[in-house]
Amino acid sequence: QVQLVESGGGLVQPGGSLRLSCAASGVIYSMHAMGWYRQVPGKQRELVATITGTGSTNYADSVKGRFTISTDNAKNMVYLQMSSLKPEDTAVYYCNARRYIPVIDYWGQGTQVTVSS
């Protein structure tokens, strides 16, 4: 059973940095891709970044060069390092594990990130 628990959200000033963590139990990295998504009220959840078991990464254009996704397989952790934060990065951030075959999405409960002065 896959379980994902996010932490690290909070209030940060524009231009600041924050690191989100996701404790991922039950994940087999050869069978799952990991990712971070975000959602603001009234809008669809959107992809922020993903990473495969081989380390291949993908980022939304809006966060390229500012955010970095990484994993620590030994600790079953997934991270999202966020820098140069902007007010438009304000959202609830969700950790995701996507099983390849069959395709199944698992979600954490989300963590709020607020970028404001």
Side-chain angles (χ1 to χ4, degrees):
Q1 181 72 17
V2 173
Q3 290 188 326
L4 307 172
V5 179
E6 303 98 333
S7 61
L11 173 64
V12 61
Q13 291 187 341
S17 298
L18 208 59
R19 188 177 82 158
L20 304 183
S21 300
C22 173
S25 61
V27 170
I28 301 172
Y29 289 101
S30 62
M31 297 174 61
H32 297 84
M34 304 301 299
W36 288 93
Y37 289 70
R38 65 188 182 187
Q39 189 171 23
V40 297
K43 292 190 176 181
Q44 286 190 332
R45 193 170 296 185
E46 64 175 9
L47 179 146
V48 175
T50 61
I51 185 167
T52 68
T54 59
S56 177
T57 58
N58 180 53
Y59 295 93
D61 287 343
S62 59
V63 307
K64 281 181 181 176
R66 301 189 297 121
F67 290 11
T68 302
I69 188 171
S70 63
T71 61
D72 184 333
N73 294 358
K75 296 182 179 180
N76 293 320
M77 297 294 293
V78 184
Y79 303 103
L80 184 69
Q81 179 67 49
M82 305 184 293
S83 303
S84 302
L85 282 161
K86 305 174 182 180
E88 50 263 44
D89 294 318
T90 296
V92 177
Y93 284 71
Y94 295 91
C95 182
N96 168 266
R98 173 166 289 182
R99 183 181 175 120
Y100 296 124
I101 300 173
V103 176
I104 302 175
D105 277 311
Y106 301 91
W107 298 96
Q109 82 286 354
T111 186
Q112 176 71 46
V113 172
T114 302
V115 184
S116 175
S117 55

